[in-house]
Amino acid sequence: MEEDVALAVVVLVAGGVAAQWIAFRFALPAIVILFAAGLAVGPGIGLIDPSEALGENLHAFIGLAVALIVFEGGLALNFKELRAAGEGVVRLTVVALPLNWLLGALAAAYIGGFDWGTAILFGAIMVVTGPTVILPLLRQARLERRSASFLKWEAILNDPVGAILAAAVLELLILLRVGDDEALVEVGLRFGLGLTLAVALGVGAAFLVRRLFVADLTPEILKTPMLLALALSVYALANLAISEAGLVAATVFGITLANIEVPGLSELKRFKEGLVVLIVSTLFIVLVADLDPAIFAALSWPIAALTLAMLLLVRPLAIALATIGSDLDWRERVLTGAIAPRGIVAAAVAGLAGHRLAEGGEGSAALIEPVVFAVIATTVVIHGFALRPLARTLGLSAGEEPAVAIIGASPWAVDLSQALKQTGVKVVLIDTYASATRRARAAGVAAIQTQILSEEAEERLSESPLDYALVATKDDVYNALVCARLGPELGRERVFQLPAAGDLDLEEELDRDWRGKLFGRMPFAEYERRHAEGWRFAPVPADEALADHEDGAGLVFLREGRVVFESREEIDHSGLERGTAIALLPADQVRARGVRNADEKS
């Protein structure tokens, strides 16, 4: 028995991480790879059976894991996003949810042949578009900020609401069957009090955390464990009142924390994001691997027709009706109507609800689990592959080309930005001085006047995801500070700074965690001097740039959608000679090649 549990844990954790890496390496939707992995190790070859290995503890494990997922999702919901997406979020959560429920129930009754009780329960389960699926898809799809906000807020808010709705419908159907009218009133009161308790627990826990952190009553080493423990605690306590209220409590806890300015929360978020990726990966494989092969035998043409109706009729119609007269344009309405993948919460609720309703004598209740599985499988695969190209077709993508931020809009940095832009790289210059950003814009380069370490910069840059950063101001220590801040978000191998001037040896004196990779061998002053003498950046064949490269100026290589900043700390330089490079050329070569500088272009 112990060996079975150990094997299951190893397969699930290792398989989940491997699936995420494969998705990253080959630019595939991670959730689709996880789904395939679950089918392979479970119903496919029978390597693991989560129900047999974990027994009755499986559902408790799933519930606690989902609580952490919705808590982390709540931390991503900043009310500042509502300035741009507020009306759309309200329409998708307040108006579209009951419409999805109604239309889903009608489809189940008239297309799937369900009896009305089961159809109403099925419609309630299907209002959920879980964060366990949509958040990984949004990371991979690179949507522009407003459209991503619609899908993100809807998924995180509707997840607990849908679970509560399904639990309430299930209780009401069972009580109606036994004819206990007094119990119906009692259930209504219990659900109202339970939801109130869940909200109070979530808000109270968040303000408790803020008090403990601000008053220096919690050591740094205990902050992350405390957040995780409180998220699980409010989930468990709220669930004592009513089933699934814990998801509301955990979500409210996360949302409140994200909006009450808790110091140091950004560092803690990074750890929890990694933990949640591991949990989602493991959990999705668990649920798919735990599928009973009998579910596949239950699939039929009516189930297939109902599944297609949920994708092509119910969701698009509900969104179309809910957003009439809203500030969503037609492209946003098409995207939100087309994308609604279901995930872990829908699967977990369907398994429990279907069995309980079947025990109560509902004839078609046994069909809930097969249909929900069919909808999950279809939406995960189709929406997983369709979201990115659909957003690109509708013009709602943040762009496929690599994006580079250059911090410090000096004249030579503007010149480098122009050369990168010529090769198809998306570039944004960031500087605190208005004159510097005006010069960049006059040269045709996007520029933002802000302090890169400010909250304003984080908000403005979130509208256009970045892939690389070059920090190139005159202040070497400030450059290192910015790189240390951006490294965990962009990746430490994608954040660069200039070598220091004078006696400061960044490579020897600063650990890599506290600075960026060093770009080239020249400090800021040397780039500034050469630019004043007429040197300019220009695209050249990479092999030519490498052959002539002896003076220490940094090269930027572009190959197969990748941007590689030349660094003496780079481990592998192979293959770079086959692409294009941005090189700093002396004045005579500039004249020979006809390269025009920024002032001439403006």
Side-chain angles (χ1 to χ4, degrees), residues 421-465:
K421 188 177 176 183
Q422 287 178 41
T423 62
V425 176
K426 186 176 181 180
V427 186
V428 59
L429 278 161
I430 300 169
D431 203 296
T432 54
Y433 293 101
S435 59
T437 53
R438 279 198 302 269
R439 179 174 57 237
R441 294 189 195 102
V445 180
I448 299 174
Q449 182 190 354
T450 188
Q451 166 56 257
I452 186 62
L453 297 176
S454 68
E455 188 175 348
E456 177 198 9
E458 182 177 355
E459 184 177 346
R460 293 178 71 175
L461 289 173
S462 66
E463 299 174 5
S464 181

Side-chain angles (χ1 to χ4, degrees), residues 227-350:
L227 291 179
L228 298 177
L230 281 172
L232 295 175
S233 297
V234 298
Y235 166 79
L237 290 173
N239 266 1
L240 293 177
I242 55 171
S243 176
E244 309 302 342
L247 295 181
V248 174
T251 303
V252 170
F253 179 33
I255 294 174
T256 307
L257 269 181
N259 291 279
I260 59 173
E261 298 183 1
V262 178
L265 195 61
S266 59
E267 292 93 358
L268 301 177
K269 280 182 183 178
R270 294 191 196 106
F271 171 80
K272 291 190 294 298
E273 284 172 359
L275 177 63
V276 166
V277 167
L278 181 63
I279 291 174
V280 169
S281 304
T282 303
L283 200 53
F284 213 84
I285 294 178
V286 165
L287 286 173
V288 179
D290 197 51
L291 288 172
D292 188 341
I295 289 178
F296 298 96
L299 297 177
S300 61
W301 287 113
I303 288 178
L306 178 55
T307 301
L308 290 176
M310 296 300 298
L311 267 69
L312 304 177
L313 180 62
V314 171
R315 169 73 177 188
L317 182 57
I319 297 301
L321 294 173
T323 55
I324 291 174
S326 71
D327 63 355
L328 276 74
D329 63 32
W330 70 269
R331 300 172 305 151
E332 293 167 337
R333 296 174 74 187
V334 169
L335 183 71
T336 52
I339 302 298
R342 274 65 168 195
I344 289 169
V345 171
V349 172

Side-chain angles (χ1 to χ4, degrees), residues 524-580:
F524 180 94
E526 183 62 18
Y527 283 103
E528 194 171 43
R529 183 187 68 80
R530 293 193 184 189
H531 186 271
E533 293 177 355
W535 291 57
R536 295 294 181 266
F537 286 97
V540 298
D543 56 351
E544 179 183 328
L546 287 168
D548 297 337
H549 185 52
E550 297 178 357
D551 59 2
L555 297 174
V556 185
F557 298 94
L558 304 128
R559 183 168 177 266
E560 298 177 355
R562 291 177 60 229
V563 178
V564 179
F565 288 86
E566 182 247 343
S567 172
R568 63 174 177 264
E569 299 175 281
E570 186 67 50
I571 296 175
D572 184 11
H573 293 277
S574 61
L576 295 179
E577 68 281 355
R578 295 193 295 273
T580 300

